[in-house]
Amino acid sequence: MGALLAGAALIGLGLTAGASAADPIKIGIVTKTDANPFFAKMKEGAEAKAKELGVELQSFAGKFDGDNDTQVTAIENLISSGVSGILLAASDTKAITPVVEQARQAGILVIALDTPLDPANAADATFATDNVKAGELIGQWAAKTVKDPSTAKVAFLDAIESQPTVDVARDQGFMKGFGIDVKDPSRYLDEDDKRIVGHFWGNGSEEGGRTGMETLLQKEPDLSVVYTINEPTAAGAYEALKAAGKESGVLITSVDGGCPGVENVKAGVIGATSMQYPLLMASKGVEAIVEFKKSGKKPEPTPGLDFFNTGVTLVTDKPVSGIESITSAEALKKCWG
């Protein structure tokens, strides 16, 4: 615990209007890993908004995507330190819920960022991309871009075996967009579409994407389309395809819209990606916690949804009719804003 506390980033930024020296507004942010630039941008958004509003921010991250134990310890530390709210991008959306409940019982507002908890109402609110829509956009793009979607061979590079909510939503959204029967929308692996070559859990990392792509290429050398959970995974998949001499014949799709990923769209590594806005998620989360501290008002979801939708945009330099998109040049001006 001591090592974790020592590794936490603490921004002492003064007090908000109406707060006293004895009762400052303190906020914690717990992300999946600092190794993924997506979560680095999320942390950046929280830091900037905390500085603007004059509140204290403590930040923690797992050692890797899927590191639930470190996230649990971080939340326990934040409960002990008396924070008013916690922003959480959970690695294991089910296993994290008992300690989240402890935080809420202590009067702490818990807002899930990017990844809804399981169940979603285990958090007070969720600020996220519509991840089903994000997957659906790249699935639709792939179906309209691949030579013959009815005979395509599709590989899936998912996140982790426990299938956290964001993993399921993007995967199933892609299938819906591509025209694959989803079966149970709350999980994947129950589909019987013969176009599916297989799934591999790449842990959201470049190394995992490379290993997964190598494994699935052994199963089916003539792949047509690759769905990836995020852009580091996509970069690894491309390296494996390139090593096999197949990089020009396979469409790679992804989700995130980070500047490195958009650069990979520009370079032709990724065919299309769905851009999220993690900086906005985190900054809106900080604002919501400050409002809760001042007035007791909890954030409300976007009408018609059970979460606050921070938006999603398709990014590709090979647009198709009927699907709104922006180019990589346009995306580089706003990536992860």
Side-chain angles (χ1 to χ4, degrees):
M1 181 179 293
L4 181 63
L5 283 169
L10 175 62
I11 304 178
L13 298 164
L15 305 176
T16 57
S20 69
D23 187 28
I25 297 179
K26 296 190 291 186
I27 296 172
I29 181 169
V30 182
T31 57
K32 295 181 183 181
T33 170
D34 285 335
N36 187 329
F38 179 86
F39 298 109
K41 181 61 69 171
M42 184 178 284
K43 177 181 171 182
E44 179 186 322
E47 289 174 343
K49 184 57 66 171
K51 183 176 182 179
E52 176 188 330
L53 298 180
V55 301
E56 294 181 9
L57 180 75
Q58 298 178 58
S59 62
F60 298 84
K63 297 180 180 68
F64 51 87
D65 197 335
D67 181 11
N68 180 68
D69 290 344
T70 299
Q71 290 196 319
V72 168
T73 303
I75 293 174
E76 291 172 342
N77 291 336
L78 290 168
I79 293 170
S80 298
S81 69
V83 296
S84 298
I86 296 173
L87 304 174
L88 171 64
S91 280
D92 191 321
T93 53
K94 293 182 180 179
I96 200 74
T97 56
V99 74
V100 168
E101 179 58 23
Q102 291 176 35
R104 295 179 71 188
Q105 288 292 335
I108 298 169
L109 185 76
V110 179
I111 297 177
L113 298 181
D114 178 57
T115 306
L117 299 187
D118 189 1
N121 63 7
D124 291 290
T126 301
F127 286 15
T129 306
D130 185 339
N131 281 295
V132 173
K133 181 65 174 178
E136 189 174 359
L137 284 171
I138 55 174
Q140 290 172 335
W141 177 87
K144 289 194 171 188
T145 304
V146 72
K147 185 175 181 180
D148 184 357
S150 68
T151 59
K153 300 295 183 182
V154 186
F156 288 80
L157 295 175
D158 292 296
I160 57 178
E161 190 170 0
S162 63
Q163 297 192 26
T165 49
V166 65
D167 191 9
V168 173
R170 294 180 186 179
D171 179 299
Q172 301 289 264
F174 176 91
M175 290 189 189
K176 180 181 177 183
F178 197 77
I180 294 172
D181 185 1
V182 167
K183 306 296 183 184
D184 181 354
S186 68
R187 62 185 297 269
Y188 55 82
L189 296 181
D190 61 344
E191 302 84 17
D192 56 12
D193 195 305
K194 293 181 179 179
R195 292 174 292 178
I196 298 176
V197 171
H199 295 255
F200 187 95
W201 292 297
N203 296 307
S205 70
E206 186 169 338
E207 180 182 356
R210 184 168 52 250
T211 301
M213 195 75 275
E214 290 169 350
T215 301
L216 293 172
L217 275 172
Q218 290 175 6
K219 188 174 181 180
E220 175 52 73
D222 295 323
L223 290 174
S224 311
V225 179
V226 180
Y227 155 87
T228 63
I229 180 67
N230 64 12
E231 290 157 359
T233 304
Y238 178 82
E239 289 303 316
L241 287 167
K242 185 177 180 180
K246 296 180 178 294
E247 73 276 15
S248 62
V250 181
L251 297 177
I252 297 178
T253 64
S254 199
V255 178
D256 269 353
C259 293
V262 174
E263 288 285 4
N264 273 341
V265 172
K266 182 179 180 180
V269 171
I270 298 173
T273 192
S274 288
M275 176 180 281
Q276 306 186 86
Y277 301 97
L279 191 150
L280 179 64
M281 292 178 201
S283 61
K284 288 290 187 183
V286 170
E287 289 177 345
I289 291 171
V290 171
E291 178 62 32
F292 172 73
K293 177 67 174 179
K294 291 179 177 179
S295 68
K297 181 181 178 182
K298 293 184 178 181
E300 297 181 356
T302 298
L305 299 173
D306 60 0
F307 62 95
F308 184 91
N309 185 5
T310 53
V312 62
T313 305
L314 183 69
V315 179
T316 182
D317 288 333
K318 298 178 180 179
V320 297
S321 63
I323 307 174
E324 186 176 349
S325 63
I326 61 174
T327 65
S328 62
E330 292 171 303
L332 283 170
K333 297 176 182 177
K334 60 192 295 187
C335 44
W336 281 350

